[in-house]
Amino acid sequence: ANDDGKTSAASATSGTSGTSGEKKSETEDDVRVAASFPGVETTDARSVARAAADVQFLCDSVPRVHRFDGWRLLYCAARDGFSLKTLYRKCAGAGAVVTLVEDERGGAFGAFTSDAWRTEPRPYGDGRCFVFSLRRDREHGDDACAVVTRTAYRWDPEREKTNYAFQAGRADSVSLGGGNGFALWLDGDLLNGASAACDTFGTPGPLACAETFKVRAVEVWGFEPLRRISRDGAGSERRE
């Protein structure tokens, strides 16, 4: 697979090679150790990706062109309000973004999209898009959600029944994937969501613990070049 994810995509660190779902296991220590995205001094304790292993997984999973970029919080529902219209406005012109969602049961999941969210009559984006699950519910004793893993599901043009419905934005919803179901769908109030097995990304089932859920948090992160300080004190962009 190539670095920008246009085939079945490169494996994440410690991922399972040769499969569309790349997994990293979580331990109790992972949950306790907080970390920040590159270029972010501190991460809010309420952030969807609040464990060091979450941050590392996401940084390792994005296309290589962004792996040395700084991350910038474009939209946060807790800060900006639960509104899809506001999300669109905050993301305008941002380019590629990472969308993080947390459900009412503590599950965390989301997507990397090649394009910032916007309203379009047709699906957009390209094969760099992928969806992921960070963690599943561990509070309610549901056996179906007891395994906590970090898994990325990527588009594979060789997969049977694949399609090009990478991302879609309308006035009343956003969605990822298509075919037999959406990998992720959120309504216009960003309060209700749905997730199911999806042909586009090869997800075997919902990213969340249930096919429908209530939303607790939504974040959209963009990328920007990191600046480093040279010996003479002048700042320069870091691009590798």
Short mmCIF file of all heavy atoms in Angstrom, two decimals, residues 35-37 39-45 47 221:
data_model
loop_
_atom_site.label_atom_id
_atom_site.label_comp_id
_atom_site.label_asym_id
_atom_site.label_seq_id
_atom_site.Cartn_x
_atom_site.Cartn_y
_atom_site.Cartn_z
N ALA A 35 -1.81 12.96 26.45
CA ALA A 35 -0.81 13.51 25.54
C ALA A 35 -1.49 14.54 24.66
O ALA A 35 -2.72 14.60 24.58
CB ALA A 35 -0.18 12.41 24.71
N SER A 36 -0.69 15.35 23.99
CA SER A 36 -1.21 16.39 23.11
C SER A 36 -0.82 16.11 21.68
O SER A 36 0.21 15.50 21.40
CB SER A 36 -0.66 17.76 23.54
OG SER A 36 -1.06 18.08 24.86
N PHE A 37 -1.64 16.59 20.76
CA PHE A 37 -1.30 16.51 19.35
C PHE A 37 -0.11 17.42 19.06
O PHE A 37 0.11 18.41 19.78
CB PHE A 37 -2.49 16.92 18.50
CG PHE A 37 -3.61 15.92 18.49
CD1 PHE A 37 -4.82 16.20 19.09
CD2 PHE A 37 -3.46 14.70 17.84
CE1 PHE A 37 -5.85 15.28 19.07
CE2 PHE A 37 -4.48 13.77 17.83
CZ PHE A 37 -5.69 14.06 18.44
N GLY A 39 2.05 20.39 18.08
CA GLY A 39 1.72 21.80 17.98
C GLY A 39 0.69 22.28 18.98
O GLY A 39 0.38 23.46 19.04
N VAL A 40 0.15 21.36 19.81
CA VAL A 40 -0.85 21.71 20.83
C VAL A 40 -0.21 21.57 22.20
O VAL A 40 0.27 20.49 22.56
CB VAL A 40 -2.09 20.80 20.73
CG1 VAL A 40 -3.12 21.18 21.79
CG2 VAL A 40 -2.70 20.89 19.34
N GLU A 41 -0.18 22.64 22.98
CA GLU A 41 0.53 22.61 24.26
C GLU A 41 -0.12 21.64 25.24
O GLU A 41 0.56 20.85 25.88
CB GLU A 41 0.56 24.03 24.87
CG GLU A 41 1.47 24.99 24.12
CD GLU A 41 1.60 26.31 24.83
OE1 GLU A 41 1.03 26.44 25.95
OE2 GLU A 41 2.26 27.21 24.30
N THR A 42 -1.42 21.71 25.37
CA THR A 42 -2.13 20.81 26.28
C THR A 42 -3.43 20.36 25.62
O THR A 42 -4.04 21.10 24.86
CB THR A 42 -2.47 21.50 27.62
OG1 THR A 42 -3.26 22.66 27.37
CG2 THR A 42 -1.21 21.87 28.37
N THR A 43 -3.84 19.14 25.93
CA THR A 43 -5.11 18.62 25.45
C THR A 43 -6.10 18.62 26.59
O THR A 43 -5.80 18.16 27.69
CB THR A 43 -4.93 17.18 24.91
OG1 THR A 43 -4.03 17.20 23.81
CG2 THR A 43 -6.27 16.62 24.45
N ASP A 44 -7.27 19.16 26.35
CA ASP A 44 -8.32 19.20 27.36
C ASP A 44 -8.63 17.78 27.83
O ASP A 44 -8.72 16.85 27.02
CB ASP A 44 -9.58 19.84 26.77
CG ASP A 44 -10.61 20.19 27.83
OD1 ASP A 44 -11.00 19.30 28.61
OD2 ASP A 44 -11.03 21.37 27.88
N ALA A 45 -8.82 17.62 29.11
CA ALA A 45 -9.12 16.29 29.67
C ALA A 45 -10.42 15.73 29.11
O ALA A 45 -10.65 14.52 29.15
CB ALA A 45 -9.18 16.36 31.19
N SER A 47 -11.26 16.01 25.94
CA SER A 47 -11.08 15.76 24.52
C SER A 47 -11.41 14.31 24.18
O SER A 47 -11.22 13.40 25.00
CB SER A 47 -9.64 16.06 24.11
OG SER A 47 -9.43 15.76 22.74
N TRP A 221 -10.38 18.51 13.67
CA TRP A 221 -9.00 19.00 13.73
C TRP A 221 -8.45 19.18 12.32
O TRP A 221 -8.63 18.33 11.46
CB TRP A 221 -8.12 18.00 14.48
CG TRP A 221 -8.42 17.88 15.94
CD1 TRP A 221 -9.44 17.16 16.51
CD2 TRP A 221 -7.70 18.48 17.02
NE1 TRP A 221 -9.39 17.28 17.88
CE2 TRP A 221 -8.34 18.08 18.22
CE3 TRP A 221 -6.58 19.30 17.09
CZ2 TRP A 221 -7.88 18.49 19.47
CZ3 TRP A 221 -6.12 19.70 18.33
CH2 TRP A 221 -6.77 19.30 19.50
#
